[in-house]
Amino acid sequence: MKIGMIKKIFTISVISIMSLSLVACGGSEAKTEGIEQTSTKVEVNKDVQRIKDKGKLVVGLSADYAPYEFHKIIDGKDEIVGFDVEIAKEIAKDLGVQLEIKDMDFNTLVGSLPAGKIDLIISGMSPTPERAEAVDFSDIYYTATHGILVKAENKDKYKTLDDFAGKKIGAQMGSIQADLAKNEIKNVDLKLLSDVNNLIMELKSGKIDGLAVELPVAEMAMKGNTDLILSTPQLEDNEGGSAVAIKKGSKGLVKQVNETIKRLQDSGKIDEFVVKAQQLAHEQ
């Protein structure tokens, strides 16, 4: 009888111990899962927090691309203005930090993000697959079409893209227009420079036959240079417009930037920025 009772007591004890162990394991798993979730959240937001901790957002751009970004003397001071700059100001405001602009050669921008020299690129940049290998991109904030500027006296010479075959075409180094011209114009002779203003001078002097640019940039160039005109054919861009470039893996910062872009698009602010930038670029 005692032996039977002892067996029962032993069995109940073992079951109780196993039950407690399972509860303990379950609690441990839940706790571990919570740590992992918290860790992931910290990981996602670390770039946003880093920017907030240093108190400034560093944006890289190439300030030779009116009306996106360009130099303008305002009250006797050289300032970088344009609708990309206004978008950058809004992103910085939503982050609660100051904005610092770094004017750089366009073809050096993408490499500057992983190097930590800048936090964002806002420079009329198209999110091409090649660039997307090195950086992440926000949603599209502006879509423009692309054309070819020519000297007004030569407008009738260029009715189709075939008319530019074998011609010397200028484009900004590292730009989507350079790729479009190379892909869509037969036997094109590309002249690449980092500064669009220098390319406009090359066109005016006859050193190049055409200049591949976005239409807003072409419109600004024509207002200041009555001897230039936009040719009839346009370059087809399947990349979908301009986006903000962000360091690879910065999910929290991508989310923050997209929220600002949506707010600006929904309120019509981006269209306002574009119009104001065009007017500012045309003022003497």
Side-chain angles (χ1 to χ4, degrees):
M1 186 68 178
K2 287 183 178 179
I3 294 174
M5 287 294 293
I6 291 170
K7 284 184 178 179
K8 286 182 180 180
I9 292 169
F10 178 77
T11 302
I12 292 169
S13 299
V14 170
I15 292 171
S16 299
I17 292 168
M18 289 176 66
S19 298
L20 288 170
S21 298
L22 287 172
V23 170
C25 289
S28 176
E29 286 176 2
K31 190 174 180 180
T32 302
E33 184 180 353
I35 292 171
E36 288 175 353
Q37 289 173 349
T38 303
S39 176
T40 301
K41 188 175 181 181
V42 170
E43 183 72 20
V44 165
N45 293 307
K46 68 176 183 178
D47 290 299
V48 173
Q49 192 60 50
R50 175 179 54 79
I51 292 168
K52 289 183 177 182
D53 287 344
K54 69 179 179 180
K56 66 179 179 180
L57 175 70
V58 183
V59 171
L61 49 73
S62 180
D64 58 353
Y65 206 58
Y68 288 79
E69 53 267 333
F70 55 101
H71 288 270
K72 182 78 175 179
I73 302 298
I74 299 176
D75 297 329
K77 183 181 178 181
D78 182 11
E79 294 189 17
I80 297 175
V81 296
F83 72 84
D84 274 349
V85 177
E86 295 304 312
I87 293 170
K89 288 178 181 177
E90 293 294 323
I91 294 172
K93 183 176 75 174
D94 286 349
L95 284 166
V97 298
Q98 298 296 311
L99 174 65
E100 179 182 326
I101 295 291
K102 281 195 176 182
D103 187 10
M104 312 170 72
D105 285 345
F106 188 82
N107 61 312
T108 67
L109 288 170
V110 170
S112 297
L113 266 181
K117 296 179 181 178
I118 54 179
D119 300 310
L120 302 175
I121 300 168
I122 310 180
S123 194
M125 182 171 284
S126 297
T128 64
E130 182 181 28
R131 289 172 181 155
E133 291 179 2
V135 300
D136 287 334
F137 281 100
S138 71
D139 295 336
I140 297 297
Y141 64 83
Y142 183 73
T143 301
T145 51
H146 310 265
I148 303 174
L149 274 175
V150 297
K151 295 180 76 171
E153 62 192 56
N154 295 328
K155 182 184 179 183
D156 293 336
K157 290 175 59 176
Y158 303 108
K159 299 292 186 182
T160 69
L161 287 178
D162 287 339
D163 294 329
F164 285 104
K167 300 295 184 181
K168 185 178 285 293
I169 303 297
Q172 187 178 41
M173 191 179 297
S175 70
I176 186 64
Q177 293 82 31
D179 292 336
L180 292 174
K182 183 171 70 173
N183 294 333
E184 298 180 27
I185 300 175
K186 296 176 182 178
N187 302 317
V188 66
D189 182 5
L190 273 181
K191 174 68 176 287
L192 302 177
L193 295 176
S194 61
D195 194 313
V196 172
N197 296 317
N198 290 338
L199 286 164
I200 289 172
M201 297 307 298
E202 294 275 300
L203 177 59
K204 288 169 67 71
S205 65
K207 293 181 179 179
I208 58 177
D209 301 299
L211 172 56
V213 290
E214 285 194 6
L215 294 196
V217 179
E219 289 166 3
M220 290 299 101
M222 288 187 291
K223 286 180 179 178
N225 301 276
T226 56
D227 55 335
L228 301 182
I229 198 165
L230 194 64
S231 63
T232 302
Q234 293 185 351
L235 297 167
E236 295 295 327
D237 177 12
N238 296 319
E239 302 300 338
S242 299
V244 178
I246 303 161
K247 183 180 177 182
K248 203 77 175 170
S250 303
K251 295 179 181 179
L253 191 52
V254 171
K255 181 176 181 291
Q256 179 73 56
V257 170
N258 283 340
E259 287 175 357
T260 300
I261 289 172
K262 187 177 188 307
R263 174 175 66 79
L264 296 176
Q265 289 174 332
D266 290 347
S267 64
K269 281 292 185 182
I270 289 184
D271 291 336
E272 287 182 24
F273 293 158
V274 173
V275 171
K276 288 180 180 178
Q278 289 173 332
Q279 292 172 344
L280 188 59
H282 187 50
E283 291 175 1
Q284 297 300 319

